[in-house]
Amino acid sequence: MRVVQKFGGSSVADAESIKRVARRIVATQEQGNDVVVIVSAMGDTTDELLDLAGEVSPNPRARELDMLLTAGERMSAALLAMAINDLGFEARSFTGSQAGVITTGTHGNAKIIDVTPGRLRDALDEGQIVLVAGFQGVSQDSKDVTTLVPVGPVNSKKFLSIVDGIEASGYTPIGEALRTAAKGLPQEGPRAIVLVSDGEDTCAPPPPCEVAKELAQDGVDLTVHTVGFKVDDAARADLSCIAEATGGTYSDANDAGQLGEALEQKVEWALQGYDVVGKPVTGANSRSATNIPLLTPGQWVDTFPAVSEDEVTSRYYRIKPPQGWTPHVTATGVVDIHSSEDDSGSTAKIVLEAVTPDGDSCESDQDFTMWVDLMNEPLIASITPDCEDEAIIKITRDDQLYYTSPMATEILVRYEPPSDISHVAEPEERGLPEAPALDGTAAETIGGPSFNSATEITAGQTYSSTIVSGEFLYFKVPATWGQQLAYRFQRNDVEGMDKHYAINFRVNLYDPLRRELGREVKTWSAPGGNESADVRGGTKEVLRATSREVNLDGSYYIAVSLWGPYDRGQVTQDFSFKVETPGETEEGPIYLTDGTPNPSETLTTTAPPSSEPTTPESTVPEKTTVPRSSLLNNKVFTWGVPIAGIVAIVAASVALRRQDGSSDAR
């Protein structure tokens, strides 16, 4: 079997990292595989080279920049070959030119037109591990070294002028396009590619579906949405396979109108989603298993596979807090609803339980959702187990709705040290604070796609933002002892819907453990109407360690969502909001560590030492993305093959939608 691995700059950032990657590559070959490795420049090498070029010359020529910037990848490939050779295995490094990557001659903006990997095949036939420097090729005409167009901030005028100059080469290198697009995206965080093709790959190898599977297997946090433009059955099968392998979606388009609609939908989906973050772990299948993993404080990720209808799946984990410490466990389950069955009578449920090793229950919680079209709302359950010593955590997936999709589950574990609260005031309910006035100059902001990437806001500042139907946007605000929370969200004008159809605007409030404290929903007829769209909420209790609901200081989360009848098209909604934390700051609990009083600002600042080993390292990446988890600074990389001109124009118009007509997308 031929395996292609790709390692980004952070993976080969230093000598130790390079040696670690070398061992992983060797292990892959020892399994009987032919191994080809694409490697990026070490760490921040490319940025450093760009900075150096700027110091040397204020306006360096594009040809010399290509010569300079391709040096970083060549250096990584050579060093990695050295490390592999020292392990007793044969490895050979190649530049993009030596690997047969043939490009156009436009420096800084080259396009792949052919791949002739004869030297790579010869090396593989000799039992060599092949290492290829990424992000480079050789001009078909001048034989100069070239770099491919980088991904970054988009200048719309420049972008469209480049698109106007694109001429179809006649090639359809889907496999290589996927690899190149994946490499051009940032090395961390959720990423998305919208791929459009009018036929099958004509440059194989590599087979495009195999490339997609390799990207997914190698832990590349990437979703590929595909569109087939007037394609036959064979091309449709390839594009569907690519989407399925990466958790994306496939659509047909038979004319320019359908193509535009499909692209807008794909880009919108790419902008939405929930980015799942945590250390990888695989729970045991039974409470009596001998391999139940130990979860130490932090955030973990397990993925429940797709199941059969009405099937219940449970997994087991252990926690072992030090004596006197209080454990908190929260499970956040996320599924790809675009792969689900359309059944309005169904539910999706997650159940979180804590039991003793003997099976006695010591706390449970559950959450469920009904069918909601095109929404990606996570399921959240949170418990505070009161088992003595060790507890077994059981998470159950009970699906009638999303069973056709995997469910990625974040498991948040926090240990709260013993505390002295004798000086803390008794619980107090003051009623809901007055909603803040939306005054002053509004600061523009965009919420994050999850709890993990929630946008931090400042209490007392008025903000403005934009949401599209189907999105969940997350914000967070710090709060401390003696305070309450109060918020106001107010919609502005809404576009894209007939006034006879209602849309719904919802605001959810969560504590630092993601426990829901309340939700407020307003419904109105678009684009106007007399209904109020002023959403107000907050906490009735004062934040105290003795309070029933509001008893933890730290970051409190607010999730904003918008939904409506999607058969009427996407809705874009502008809104303004403000969050305040009224109340005088009070003294909180005194946390005790090893019997010594230690005031603690937040629950997360203290974590007990653990002598037990954690879960063994897994091949799953520490950042995992469920389908549609593809928000990356609100930019989408679009790759069209070979009708890139049409693709780029449509995608650019969608991606720049939030920029109020500005020529520069941020």
Side-chain angles (χ1 to χ4, degrees):
M1 181 180 177
R2 184 163 294 168
V3 176
V4 179
Q5 297 178 321
K6 192 269 183 185
F7 295 96
S10 59
S11 301
V12 292
D14 52 39
E16 286 304 315
S17 299
I18 291 172
K19 292 178 182 179
R20 183 166 56 250
V21 168
R23 291 192 293 270
R24 179 175 174 182
I25 294 169
V26 166
T28 303
Q29 192 191 52
E30 286 182 318
Q31 296 171 3
N33 302 304
D34 294 335
V35 184
V36 179
V37 179
I38 315 297
V39 63
S40 298
M42 298 174 60
D44 298 325
T45 298
T46 301
D47 291 338
E48 293 170 357
L49 290 174
L50 280 172
D51 291 341
L52 183 59
E55 294 177 11
V56 171
S57 171
N59 189 28
R61 293 184 177 180
R63 181 188 183 279
E64 306 309 324
L65 270 180
D66 277 1
M67 286 287 290
L68 176 67
L69 296 182
T70 55
E73 281 78 9
R74 295 200 299 269
M75 181 172 67
S76 295
L79 290 171
L80 193 51
M82 298 175 191
I84 292 172
N85 292 333
D86 281 349
L87 295 173
F89 290 77
E90 296 295 322
R92 191 181 303 173
S93 63
F94 295 87
T95 66
S97 170
Q98 294 168 341
V101 181
I102 312 300
T103 74
T104 59
T106 305
H107 290 288
N109 191 26
K111 304 292 188 296
I112 295 175
I113 59 176
D114 200 5
V115 180
T116 56
R119 296 184 66 179
L120 304 188
R121 291 198 187 103
D122 292 343
L124 291 172
D125 291 342
E126 296 172 8
Q128 303 265 353
I129 294 173
V130 171
L131 304 164
V132 181
F135 193 56
Q136 58 189 260
V138 62
S139 168
Q140 185 180 48
D141 301 323
S142 66
K143 307 304 179 185
D144 282 341
V145 173
T146 57
T147 61
L148 305 175
V149 60
V151 178
V154 178
N155 180 291
S156 60
K157 293 181 179 179
K158 181 179 179 180
F159 185 76
L160 293 175
S161 68
I162 292 173
V163 169
D164 289 339
I166 293 177
E167 296 183 4
S169 66
Y171 296 98
T172 308
I174 295 178
E176 288 298 333
L178 284 175
R179 287 178 178 169
T180 306
K183 182 189 181 303
L185 293 169
Q187 300 304 309
E188 295 183 353
R191 288 146 286 176
I193 296 172
V194 178
L195 184 146
V196 179
S197 181
D198 62 354
E200 293 181 84
D201 187 294
T202 60
C203 298
C209 191
E210 293 301 316
V211 171
K213 292 177 180 178
E214 290 163 4
L215 291 173
Q217 184 178 2
D218 291 343
V220 176
D221 194 4
L222 180 65
T223 302
V224 183
H225 301 285
T226 60
V227 180
F229 186 65
K230 297 183 177 181
V231 296
D232 57 21
D233 290 342
R236 183 178 296 107
D238 270 352
L239 294 171
S240 298
C241 182
I242 293 169
E244 183 178 353
T246 60
T249 58
Y250 171 77
S251 298
D252 278 307
N254 296 316
D255 54 42
Q258 290 182 5
L259 178 61
E261 292 174 2
L263 280 170
E264 182 170 356
Q265 183 186 57
K266 299 300 183 187
V267 173
E268 290 291 354
W269 286 359
L271 286 170
Q272 303 171 104
Y274 186 107
D275 57 312
V276 180
V277 176
K279 302 174 185 177
V281 66
T282 301
N285 293 322
S286 71
R287 181 173 58 82
S288 59
T290 59
N291 63 337
I292 300 179
L294 174 69
L295 303 184
T296 54
Q299 188 158 295
W300 304 78
V301 172
D302 199 353
T303 299
F304 288 64
V307 297
S308 301
E309 188 174 6
D310 297 327
E311 184 176 348
V312 175
T313 305
S314 298
R315 287 189 173 171
Y316 297 81
Y317 319 84
R318 293 186 298 131
I319 60 170
K320 194 173 182 179
Q323 187 172 4
W325 293 60
T326 302
H328 302 280
V329 182
T330 300
T332 305
V334 188
V335 292
D336 174 21
I337 63 173
H338 294 293
S339 302
S340 66
E341 299 290 331
D342 258 4
D343 185 353
S344 60
S346 297
T347 62
K349 182 167 65 175
I350 188 172
V351 182
L352 178 63
E353 302 174 83
V355 298
T356 67
D358 295 330
D360 298 327
S361 176
C362 48
E363 185 70 26
S364 66
D365 187 29
Q366 62 181 303
D367 187 25
F368 72 94
T369 185
M370 298 292 290
W371 173 85
V372 182
D373 189 20
L374 294 184
M375 296 296 286
N376 206 359
E377 179 181 6
L379 300 168
I380 305 172
S382 185
I383 59 175
T384 300
D386 59 0
C387 307
E388 294 185 6
D389 194 27
E390 182 175 289
I392 295 176
I393 303 299
K394 178 182 178 182
I395 299 178
T396 300
R397 176 185 185 180
D398 186 358
D399 260 315
Q400 299 173 327
L401 176 57
Y402 300 138
Y403 60 89
T404 58
S405 301
M407 182 177 75
T409 303
E410 294 175 338
I411 309 169
L412 178 64
V413 179
R414 297 186 179 181
Y415 290 166
E416 184 178 6
S419 62
D420 177 7
I421 59 172
S422 59
H423 58 287
V424 177
E426 292 296 316
E428 181 181 0
E429 183 172 316
R430 296 176 179 173
L432 194 66
E434 183 178 352
L438 301 181
D439 52 11
T441 303
E444 294 186 8
T445 188
I446 296 177
S450 72
F451 290 103
N452 309 300
S453 50
T455 301
E456 184 164 334
I457 58 174
T458 301
Q461 169 68 51
T462 299
Y463 292 91
S464 63
S465 190
T466 301
I467 189 171
V468 298
S469 50
E471 277 188 317
F472 267 72
L473 301 181
Y474 292 79
F475 304 91
K476 63 180 180 181
V477 61
T480 191
W481 312 112
Q483 296 180 329
Q484 292 181 267
L485 285 96
Y487 62 76
R488 168 178 279 170
F489 286 76
Q490 192 172 78
R491 63 114 176 165
N492 301 323
D493 292 331
V494 64
E495 302 175 354
M497 281 196 56
D498 187 279
K499 66 180 180 179
H500 301 297
Y501 294 88
I503 60 176
N504 301 277
F505 187 80
R506 190 175 83 191
V507 180
N508 294 46
L509 178 63
Y510 303 91
D511 77 355
L513 292 176
R514 305 180 182 178
R515 297 177 298 197
E516 188 174 19
L517 301 176
R519 64 174 64 188
E520 301 292 334
V521 182
K522 291 292 183 181
T523 303
W524 66 89
S525 297
N530 300 319
E531 298 87 353
S532 171
D534 193 15
V535 183
R536 310 180 186 189
T539 60
K540 296 180 180 181
E541 290 184 313
V542 177
L543 202 165
R544 287 176 181 155
T546 55
S547 295
R548 181 177 61 87
E549 289 189 342
V550 191
N551 50 31
L552 295 172
D553 68 339
S555 291
Y556 281 71
Y557 299 91
I558 297 175
V560 183
S561 56
L562 182 75
W563 73 98
Y566 292 91
D567 59 343
R568 298 288 168 175
Q570 289 283 352
V571 178
T572 301
Q573 174 66 68
D574 296 328
F575 64 95
S576 302
F577 70 99
K578 180 191 286 188
V579 181
E580 290 183 343
T581 52
E584 298 294 328
T585 301
E586 300 176 358
E587 185 178 0
I590 298 178
Y591 291 125
L592 307 171
T593 307
D594 297 330
T596 304
N598 269 341
S600 175
E601 294 182 359
T602 68
L603 176 63
T604 59
T605 60
T606 55
S610 177
S611 59
E612 289 201 43
T614 59
T615 302
E617 185 177 352
S618 169
T619 58
V620 183
E622 290 201 0
K623 281 196 168 187
T624 307
T625 303
V626 297
R628 299 179 63 225
S629 300
S630 313
L631 183 68
L632 179 66
N633 296 328
N634 299 293
K635 294 189 280 286
V636 175
F637 185 78
T638 304
W639 194 277
V641 185
I643 49 177
I646 300 174
V647 176
I649 291 172
V650 179
S653 66
V654 177
L656 299 177
R657 168 179 50 76
R658 299 176 186 257
Q659 306 306 319
D660 298 325
S662 171
S663 62
D664 295 317
R666 295 167 291 198

